[in-house]
């Protein structure tokens, strides 16, 4: 179903209410999502991106209800990832000569995935333009590493729409389409989760790209991302948020993250959190058991935190695998400027605290020396060690 975005620009994507996971099972989807594709009908008809392959028949059928595919003059492929390129084969098989505008890296990713080097690719780079008639043009802006090397955005003059691809997106199903109609609490929460879990790895590039966008001085009236709501009432706000979020972002929050075998490490986690709250009453303090809570949502809480305390018991001379897997993900996110402390119980050899310390250091955290390492079940002396860890973590943040 076509939905009018502005003048002759229509949303033609898929709202995916049933989606539960993204990037395999690496990103949890809790409020549905959308794959936003757009159709521009000026003197030239332009399709901006497609949708994920499971929806390709629905996508093509919907397009055919409104237009003859032969009317499509150009396809803009802003990113090769399957959620946006997954219906290209279905479209191009019907209009094999259609010019596909994309970056050089996008040609590589599309050919690598779909094996059609014969497609009519037109490579573009930042500053290149495409005339679409009625006095309007598409201006291409490479968005390298936001979040793939092939990503780009497209600015449509006249209507002043920035098709921003994944940047500024949210995994959020919103039939109302626009930010002012959406539940803002959910939308902003999903925008932050998207940034923390997907974009933050490339925060330095994001910071530079936001500065570059500023210099371009584009008269943006709509930001149309590839997921979630279209921004029309909070454009300066989402751009400023991306500037803030890409600049070692933190709030006055300390988060305790742990897993436990027989509740000893859990008892330490709660004692540490209680003492942090006593020492720093104005700070937000949260506690998450990695095995019981959404791992991506925990990562968003880490993104907001100025410090974290991470705990695991020792099992077979290692940390628990639940904590180990999450630590690998933490490393990917490349947070900077945050403090950390470690804690955990052990029965025999007790390596987990050292392993946690090593992993957190490698992940960019400044790990304090004090730790709460407890042999068997915590006693009062161990709880005092937990207090010391909490106090030193709060002090390190000052
Ligand atoms: Fe929404 Fe990077 O794909």
């Amino acid at each position: 179903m076509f939905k009018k975005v502005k003048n002759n620009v229509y949303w033609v994507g898929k709202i995916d209410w049933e989606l539960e996971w993204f990037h395999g099972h690496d990103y949890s989807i809790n409020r549905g999502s959308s794959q936003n594709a757009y159709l521009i009908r000026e003197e030239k008809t332009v399709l901006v991106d497609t949708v994920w392959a499971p929806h390709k028949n629905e996508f093509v059928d919907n397009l055919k209800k409104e237009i003859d595919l032969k009317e499509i003059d150009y396809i803009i492929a802003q990113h090769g990832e399957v959620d946006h390129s997954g219906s290209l084969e279905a479209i191009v098989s019907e209009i094999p000569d259609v010019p596909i505008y994309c970056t050089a890296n996008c040609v590589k990713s599309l050919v690598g995935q779909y094996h059609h080097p014969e497609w009519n690719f037109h490579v573009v780079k930042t500053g290149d333009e495409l005339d679409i008639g009625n006095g309007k043009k598409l201006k291409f802006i490479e968005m390298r590493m936001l979040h793939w090397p092939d990503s780009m955005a497209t600015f449509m003059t006249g209507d002043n729409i920035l098709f921003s691809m994944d940047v500024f997106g949210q995994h959020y199903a919103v039939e109302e389409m626009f930010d002012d109609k959406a539940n803002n609490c959910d939308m902003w929460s999903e925008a932050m989760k998207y940034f923390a879990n997907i974009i933050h790895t490339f925060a330095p590039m994001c910071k530079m790209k936001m500065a570059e966008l500023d210099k371009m001085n584009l008269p943006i009236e709509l930001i149309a991302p590839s997921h979630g709501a279209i921004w029309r009432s909070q454009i300066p706000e989402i751009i400023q948020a991306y500037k803030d979020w890409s600049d070692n972002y933190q709030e006055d929050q300390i988060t305790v993250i742990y897993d436990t075998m027989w509740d000893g490490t859990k008892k330490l986690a709660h004692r540490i959190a209680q003492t942090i709250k006593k020492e720093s009453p104005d700070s937000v303090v949260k506690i998450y058991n990695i095995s019981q809570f959404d791992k991506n949502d925990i990562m968003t809480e880490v993104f907001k935190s100025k410090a974290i305390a991470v705990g695991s018991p020792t099992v077979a001379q290692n940390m628990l695998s639940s904590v180990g897997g999450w630590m690998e993900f933490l490393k990917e996110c490349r947070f900077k400027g945050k403090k950390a402390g470690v804690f955990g119980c052990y029965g025999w050899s007790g390596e987990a605290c050292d392993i946690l310390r090593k992993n957190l250091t490698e992940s960019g955290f400044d790990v304090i020396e004090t730790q709460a390492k407890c042999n068997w079940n915590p006693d009062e002396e161990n709880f005092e060690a937990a207090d010391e860890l909490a106090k030193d973590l709060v002090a390190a943040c000052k």
Side-chain angles (χ1 to χ4, degrees):
M1 185 177 68
F2 285 17
K3 291 183 180 178
K4 190 167 188 158
V5 174
K6 183 177 181 181
N7 297 330
N8 299 317
V9 179
Y10 301 88
W11 179 94
V12 295
K14 168 70 183 178
I15 298 182
D16 206 340
W17 285 96
E18 285 79 25
L19 195 67
E20 293 180 306
W21 292 102
F22 192 77
H23 286 165
H25 284 70
D26 210 36
Y27 189 108
S28 59
I29 303 284
N30 299 322
R31 297 182 174 102
S33 187
S34 65
Q35 298 123 44
N36 296 339
Y38 301 94
L39 192 75
I40 303 169
R41 305 216 67 189
E42 298 294 346
E43 286 175 49
K44 299 292 185 184
T45 295
V46 184
L47 177 64
V48 181
D49 298 317
T50 69
V51 301
W52 190 29
H55 310 304
K56 68 183 177 186
N57 293 339
E58 180 185 341
F59 176 70
V60 172
D61 288 349
N62 283 341
L63 281 175
K64 283 181 174 175
K65 280 179 198 156
E66 303 280 344
I67 62 166
D68 182 335
L69 293 186
K70 292 188 177 63
E71 293 172 47
I72 297 175
D73 294 293
Y74 310 123
I75 292 176
I76 312 298
Q78 300 193 103
H79 179 26
E81 196 162 13
V82 294
D83 47 331
H84 310 297
S85 66
S87 304
L88 263 179
E89 269 189 308
I91 298 278
V92 179
S93 66
E94 300 211 25
I95 45 172
D97 296 327
V98 65
I100 300 170
Y101 288 77
C102 62
T103 63
N105 277 330
C106 194
V107 175
K108 284 185 201 168
S109 68
L110 292 176
V111 171
Q113 291 176 97
Y114 304 109
H115 312 296
H116 288 292
E118 77 282 5
W119 282 357
N120 185 11
F121 292 113
H122 289 245
V123 170
V124 295
K125 53 190 185 319
T126 298
D128 289 350
E129 296 181 350
L130 179 64
D131 196 327
I132 56 172
N134 296 329
K136 299 175 184 178
K137 289 178 179 174
L138 298 179
K139 294 183 170 189
F140 302 109
I141 307 163
E142 288 166 274
M143 304 288 273
R144 189 181 283 251
M145 301 318 297
L146 295 179
H147 65 117
W148 271 18
D150 66 2
S151 301
M152 76 170 183
T154 305
F155 182 69
M156 180 181 174
T157 67
D159 290 347
N160 296 327
I161 301 172
L162 179 67
F163 299 99
S164 62
M165 191 16 72
D166 288 325
V167 168
F168 307 126
Q170 328 96 49
H171 280 306
Y172 176 43
V174 53
E175 297 283 354
E176 295 77 16
M177 199 156 71
F178 293 106
D179 63 338
D180 49 302
K181 300 285 187 188
N183 178 314
N184 267 242
C185 187
D186 289 350
M187 180 184 67
W188 276 99
S189 165
E190 293 297 342
M192 180 181 269
K193 176 178 174 180
Y194 194 93
F195 188 94
N197 284 268
I198 292 181
I199 303 286
H200 189 276
T201 301
F202 310 105
M205 290 79 141
C206 184
K207 191 175 171 183
M208 285 192 288
K209 189 53 71 175
M210 291 303 114
E212 189 184 322
L213 279 179
D214 272 354
K215 275 194 193 147
M216 287 179 180
N217 208 19
L218 301 169
I220 300 169
E221 293 177 29
L222 289 178
I223 292 178
S226 296
H227 301 287
I230 295 172
W231 301 92
R232 70 175 174 190
S233 70
Q234 299 169 81
I235 289 169
E237 287 85 351
I238 185 62
I239 292 174
Q240 186 60 48
Y242 261 59
K243 289 177 184 172
D244 295 341
W245 294 345
S246 60
D247 194 15
N248 298 334
Y249 183 75
Q250 53 184 249
E251 299 176 10
D252 186 7
Q253 175 172 331
I254 300 179
T255 305
V256 180
I257 301 145
Y258 74 98
D259 203 353
T260 197
M261 288 174 73
W262 298 109
D263 283 356
T265 303
K266 176 181 176 179
K267 288 173 190 164
L268 290 177
H270 283 263
R271 178 67 172 243
I272 290 164
Q274 284 165 9
T275 307
I276 290 170
K277 195 65 185 169
K278 268 188 218 155
E279 292 294 309
S280 185
D282 292 337
S283 298
V284 173
V285 180
K286 297 187 181 180
I287 314 173
Y288 296 105
N289 179 315
I290 280 179
S291 291
Q292 295 181 337
F293 202 79
D294 183 306
K295 292 168 183 61
N296 301 104
D297 287 339
I298 296 176
M299 203 57 78
T300 310
E301 299 299 333
V302 173
F303 170 65
K304 289 194 284 182
S305 297
K306 59 185 180 183
I308 61 173
V310 182
S312 172
T314 296
V315 53
Q317 297 182 303
N318 207 340
M319 55 189 158
L320 277 174
S321 60
S322 55
V323 181
W326 186 82
M327 294 292 283
E328 286 300 315
F329 182 25
L330 183 69
K331 202 176 290 179
E332 273 177 37
C333 292
R334 299 184 194 166
F335 296 123
K336 287 197 176 74
K338 298 181 190 294
K339 312 292 182 191
V342 300
F343 62 96
C345 293
Y346 67 100
W348 307 108
S349 56
E351 289 88 347
C353 279
D354 289 343
I355 293 168
L356 289 171
R357 176 180 299 282
K358 179 172 179 288
N359 275 270
L360 283 163
T361 304
E362 288 172 0
S363 301
F365 287 79
D366 182 6
V367 187
I368 62 170
E369 284 300 317
T370 315
Q371 61 185 22
K373 182 173 170 180
C374 163
N375 195 205
W376 300 109
N377 226 359
D379 58 14
E380 198 44 43
E381 195 176 320
N382 298 127
F383 284 127
E384 284 170 14
D387 292 341
E388 288 308 306
L389 168 62
K391 287 174 188 172
D392 288 355
L393 198 54
V394 168
C397 294
K398 287 181 178 158

